[in-house]
Amino acid sequence: MKLNLQLTIAILSIAVITACTEAGHVDKSEANTNLLTGLVIGQQQGKSSVMDSLAEIRGYWKGGFCSAGTCSSFTSNVSIVQDPSGFGIWASGSSYLRIISVDIVGRTFIYQYLPNDTYSPSKYTKVIWTAPTTTGCENSASKCFYYCTVYPNFATLTEAENVNLSNYSSADPTRTGCGGFGWSKALFVSLNPTNW
């Protein structure tokens, strides 16, 4: 028993001395890996609640843009789903982004870019959505909803959570209310996502 205690103290001493000599030395790739690991752990802990909160808009949709009272160009793929590893995902066009948090009362969610993203590494984006409806959906879609991406991308989650949304309104989404433009619109296709 005494030998085990002496070995434990010796190992801890070596670990502390090593840590002290290497303190403050983290290369960029390790920092990116640590950030990604943190995102994975955070997502792992909250993925069920995130996806449950997005129940009304989960699925595969065709996204289009609204302007001057008309919505058209429903050519982009929009998926709000769980990927095979269980993470909440917002996939739009060629973007594949992890959903970090959801406010179901305010109908907003926040996704984060990966650390190796070319244009917005590790930044956060907030998306507002409206309640899905079964009326007024183009192309004979069985249901649809409007969504608005809040700009700019934010450096921290706190900035994205606390952004002032008073200039955003879904009162006339086919014309205005999304940063001076019309909102985007999603037409329901299926509950299944695009290929992963």
Side-chain angles (χ1 to χ4, degrees), residues 20-153:
C20 288
T21 59
E22 293 297 317
H25 298 262
V26 178
D27 69 11
K28 185 177 178 181
S29 66
E30 184 179 345
N32 284 342
T33 300
N34 290 342
L35 177 59
L36 187 55
T37 301
L39 289 173
V40 168
I41 290 169
Q43 277 297 106
Q44 196 69 27
Q45 293 170 347
K47 66 184 177 186
S48 295
S49 62
V50 166
M51 290 314 297
D52 290 346
S53 299
L54 291 169
E56 73 177 3
I57 59 171
R58 279 195 321 218
Y60 173 43
W61 308 76
K62 282 292 187 180
F65 300 96
C66 301
S67 178
T70 303
C71 300
S72 60
S73 300
F74 293 99
T75 56
S76 67
N77 298 324
V78 176
S79 294
I80 302 108
V81 294
Q82 276 181 273
D83 73 6
S85 63
F87 295 105
I89 298 296
W90 168 262
S92 178
S94 62
S95 298
Y96 180 88
L97 308 155
R98 290 198 172 141
I99 298 170
I100 301 299
S101 70
V102 179
D103 173 5
I104 195 160
V105 174
R107 283 201 169 93
T108 66
F109 64 84
I110 297 171
Y111 60 75
Q112 185 179 25
Y113 292 90
L114 292 174
N116 60 355
D117 183 80
T118 304
Y119 302 105
S120 297
S122 302
K123 290 198 174 180
Y124 299 86
T125 298
K126 183 173 253 185
V127 176
I128 311 166
W129 82 87
T130 63
T133 181
T134 57
T135 59
C137 303
E138 291 82 351
N139 302 342
S140 303
S142 60
K143 62 182 175 177
C144 55
F145 71 94
Y146 295 96
Y147 63 97
C148 171
T149 304
V150 178
Y151 287 101
N153 296 325

